[in-house]
Amino acid sequence: IGFSGIIFWFIAHAKKKDLFLRRIPGIDAVEEAIGRATEMGRPIYYLTGRNGMETVSTIAATTILGEITKKVAHYDSTIKVPHTNPIVMGVCQEITKQAYIEAGRPDAYREESNFFVSDEQFSYTASVDGMMVREKPAACFFMGYYYAEALLLAETGASTGAIQIAGTDAEHQLPFFITTCDYTLIGEELYAASAYISKQPVLVGTLRGQDVGKAAFMILLAVAGILVTAFAVAERPDAMRPILNLFHPF
């Protein structure tokens, strides 16, 4: 209840004035990547990962897609979003269309910018790799959850000379993205990116509320650790037990 109260308070506060968010270099580079693609007349590739809409990372990836598409519409560049999940493709089609409308360029929207490739992991990977080699995109975005295809996709994108920005909460794929991409959003930075780009009060307030809640929990852990240590030194197991029981479920 207390944690929810903190989040609601920050959401209300964000509606009144801008809240500070830590800079994320990978998101700051979005403008540069889109501008470069426009100057070179080459497309932008945006991938949303392998999972469906039931995962948080995919939801974050589609939210970021909407904000990036607004910038693409503004620069009159070309974005291509190859999909491995038909439901994610349907959601991204609506998000992309809405982004062009909000950017004031509904006439520039192309239905074929979102297209289905394959739901088989390595058929999808091989197809997208072939597209990258042929079209040589100027920028590649890898957002969402990835598996063994991560290195194959990112390495191919790097070979074309594209600016690459990745973001994932798949910790086992982070080393590959860090090695092959120019910028990598690590773990929760992927979730924060949608708030960072859009500046929507609900997203920004929720993000700040989560940070404050985690800070409060860390302080609580530190205080509990000190008390437990003090009671153990004083040989007071009866006083130490209630504190340990408080954290036992975790």
Side-chain angles (χ1 to χ4, degrees):
I1 292 172
F3 184 64
S4 300
I6 292 172
I7 290 177
F8 285 130
W9 186 88
F10 272 108
I11 290 174
H13 200 57
K15 291 179 179 178
K16 297 176 183 177
K17 70 173 187 176
D18 292 336
L19 297 179
F20 170 77
L21 293 178
R22 177 178 62 84
R23 290 181 66 253
I24 303 176
I27 298 303
D28 289 340
V30 168
E31 292 272 3
E32 175 192 351
I34 296 174
R36 181 171 181 264
T38 305
E39 291 174 358
M40 299 178 70
R42 285 156 60 178
I44 297 165
Y45 270 66
Y46 189 100
L47 279 64
T48 58
R50 284 276 303 158
N51 285 354
M53 287 304 303
E54 69 277 1
T55 58
V56 179
S57 54
T58 305
I59 294 172
T62 56
T63 304
I64 297 169
L65 170 63
E67 299 302 323
I68 287 178
T69 303
K70 291 178 187 177
K71 298 181 185 297
V72 170
H74 175 73
Y75 282 100
D76 196 23
S77 190
T78 302
I79 187 169
K80 294 191 174 184
V81 192
H83 290 281
T84 184
N85 185 297
I87 296 176
V88 176
M89 182 183 74
V91 172
C92 289
Q93 283 176 335
E94 292 301 317
I95 289 175
T96 305
K97 185 176 182 179
Q98 183 63 31
Y100 272 93
I101 293 173
E102 292 180 8
R105 298 289 310 282
D107 56 309
Y109 171 69
R110 296 291 179 269
E111 191 77 28
E112 61 271 16
S113 60
N114 286 271
F115 54 94
F116 182 77
V117 178
S118 172
D119 59 358
E120 202 283 322
Q121 182 180 18
F122 290 107
S123 294
Y124 170 80
T125 305
S127 297
V128 175
D129 281 348
M131 295 174 200
M132 288 181 178
V133 171
R134 290 190 297 273
E135 299 185 2
K136 299 190 182 303
C140 295
F141 294 89
F142 305 100
M143 303 291 175
Y145 199 94
Y146 292 84
Y147 296 89
E149 73 281 355
L151 180 60
L152 298 174
L153 291 167
E155 184 67 25
T156 302
S159 69
T160 66
I163 292 179
Q164 300 201 117
I165 302 173
T168 185
D169 54 0
E171 67 279 355
H172 51 288
Q173 299 304 330
L174 281 172
F176 305 125
F177 281 136
I178 291 171
T179 303
T180 56
C181 295
D182 299 283
Y183 303 95
T184 303
L185 308 181
I186 300 174
E188 288 192 347
E189 286 184 340
L190 173 62
Y191 314 143
S194 56
Y196 189 92
I197 295 177
S198 67
K199 305 297 183 184
Q200 293 181 19
V202 174
L203 295 177
V204 174
T206 302
L207 182 63
R208 285 298 299 273
Q210 288 175 345
D211 288 344
V212 171
K214 285 184 284 189
F217 193 72
M218 291 172 66
I219 293 171
L220 179 63
L221 283 173
V223 172
I226 293 171
L227 290 175
V228 168
T229 303
F231 288 136
V233 172
E235 297 182 353
R236 292 281 307 280
D238 54 326
M240 183 172 61
R241 193 172 296 109
I243 301 175
L244 292 176
N245 289 340
L246 180 64
F247 295 97
H248 181 70
F250 302 101

